[in-house]
Amino acid sequence: MPTSPTPSLLLIDDEPRLRQLTARVLELEGYTVAQAPDAARGLAWLADHGAGTDVILSDVKLPDGHGVALLPRYRTAAPGAEIVLLTAYGTVPDSVAAMKAGAFDYLTKGESDDQLLVVVSRAVEKAQLRRRVAELEARAGAQLGGGFEALIGAAPALLQAKTLAERVAPTGSTVLLTGETGAGKEVFAQAIHQGSGRRGRAFVAVNCSAFPRDLLESELFGYRKGAFTGALADKKGLFDEAHGGTLFLDEVGELAPEAQAKLLRVLETQTFTRLGDTKPTQVDVRLVAATNRDLKAEADGGRFRADLYYRLSVFSITVPPLRARAADVPALARHFLGVFAAKLKKRLPDLTDDCLARLARYPWPGNVRELKNVLERAAILAPDNQPLMPDDLPPEFQADPAAPAAHLLQPVGQDPALDRTLRAVEARHILGVLRACHGNKTEAARQLGIGLTTLYRKVQELGVE
């Protein structure tokens, strides 16, 4: 029997009598069944109703296509649907090929209504379970950042950036987010996506600095089998994955010149050519890019394509660093505490005033991301059913915020540990960020705004480990 809500099925078969009889059997079981006599009209129906379709039942031999070959097109038109192929003469090799291609099942037409109903019931159950899981994941993701409600704070600099983002979100225009690492550029990008007409489609985020330059192009645009040594099968790129939705390119200034040229073409024509391919691929993608660099200066210096910079910066938004909105720290801290308390199944009612004072005093070189990491650590350490105390914070927050820093009263050089030379200050700062990142050097390098290799060199030179 179907689950609730009423499942929606599409039956594609070019034999009218058998199609109508099968549809009637399914309708008597409580299913809503749409019918199409060929693949073209089936795909046309899915273009309008694909998002709500649970199961597609397709004949293998249609006037305008073969069912197995049509599977990718069905999957694209109805990503959440399960696909059952129907054939008049079933064979084991055909069945194996269909299952390998992603079909839920492969049935012989007219053989058994009971078998058909069992398979359809299982397919509907799987499709609706997947949809429910996706809804729950989306709801959980919204708690950590989704729409404009995730942009927490009332500082003028934040409100100005938020207003601009709300204005541009529905337009579909390319957006360039600038600001320091960890300031929340990806949260802004997600909010812009959620505020657009693409909110029900994919939001794909990629950090351009996380890939070697020679691999990033293939990740973005994909490749054909045999395009290079090791390309053993076709690979979809991230632009394909984001089709119909939004692609967020973080650290876009890291793109190699070749990838910059391809990106410019996508922005201008909504087409690109995969590595090893000869035909262009058409996509419908809204691009939001982000950088912690001065891309205008990079373009003026010839280190970034000027034409791409002007195309990316159609609408620029500067995301303020946390130190420019210090008054927002308490609200953000309480938000993150609530998120991690729920995740850890703890009751952590609030932060003490002393704890908030210490957080407000800190300069936050890692911005909102660093604050989030600090609150996650504190939530893990804090006893259940008690407010967060200063002792739950990392060591760099333990000094009394009302007292003068002891090392400022010491003569320079008197104690090597309290040395105020540039080398010593740099070492303490790197150590503090490493502690806030729980020793994760990749994350620490991102927060410091330096390369991972540079961080390893500085750690060795300064002896901070």
Side-chain angles (χ1 to χ4, degrees), residues 208-341:
C208 298
S209 65
F211 294 92
R213 284 193 164 199
D214 55 343
L215 292 182
L216 182 58
E217 184 177 349
S218 65
E219 288 295 324
L220 289 175
F221 304 108
Y223 53 77
R224 288 295 188 190
K225 179 181 178 180
F228 52 85
T229 303
L232 303 179
D234 290 354
K235 175 182 170 61
K236 291 176 66 176
L238 295 173
F239 270 97
D240 285 306
E241 298 292 344
H243 180 68
T246 302
L247 178 64
F248 173 55
L249 289 183
D250 198 5
E251 306 300 350
V252 70
E254 299 293 332
L255 285 176
E258 298 80 5
Q260 291 181 33
K262 265 195 168 182
L263 178 59
L264 179 63
R265 178 167 178 78
V266 176
L267 290 173
E268 291 178 341
T269 68
Q270 290 283 287
T271 64
F272 65 89
T273 304
R274 297 186 183 95
L275 292 173
D277 206 350
T278 57
K279 297 180 180 179
T281 298
Q282 187 82 32
V283 288
D284 173 22
V285 173
R286 199 243 184 106
L287 186 73
V288 179
T291 181
N292 61 5
R293 297 185 181 187
D294 183 345
L295 274 195
K296 178 65 165 61
E298 296 281 307
D300 290 343
R303 296 178 295 277
F304 194 84
R305 288 186 65 119
D307 48 1
L308 177 58
Y309 164 72
Y310 290 116
R311 192 66 181 78
L312 288 174
S313 59
V314 169
F315 198 97
S316 293
I317 300 173
T318 299
V319 179
L322 189 52
R323 64 180 176 276
R325 41 184 294 226
D328 292 339
V329 169
L332 284 165
R334 289 187 170 105
H335 168 72
F336 289 132
L337 180 63
V339 168
F340 293 119

Side-chain angles (χ1 to χ4, degrees), residues 148-160 162 188 320 322 325-333 335 368:
F148 287 104
E149 68 279 357
L151 303 176
I152 297 168
L158 177 72
L159 294 180
Q160 180 181 8
K162 184 177 178 180
F188 265 83
L322 189 52
R325 41 184 294 226
D328 292 339
V329 169
L332 284 165
H335 168 72
V368 178

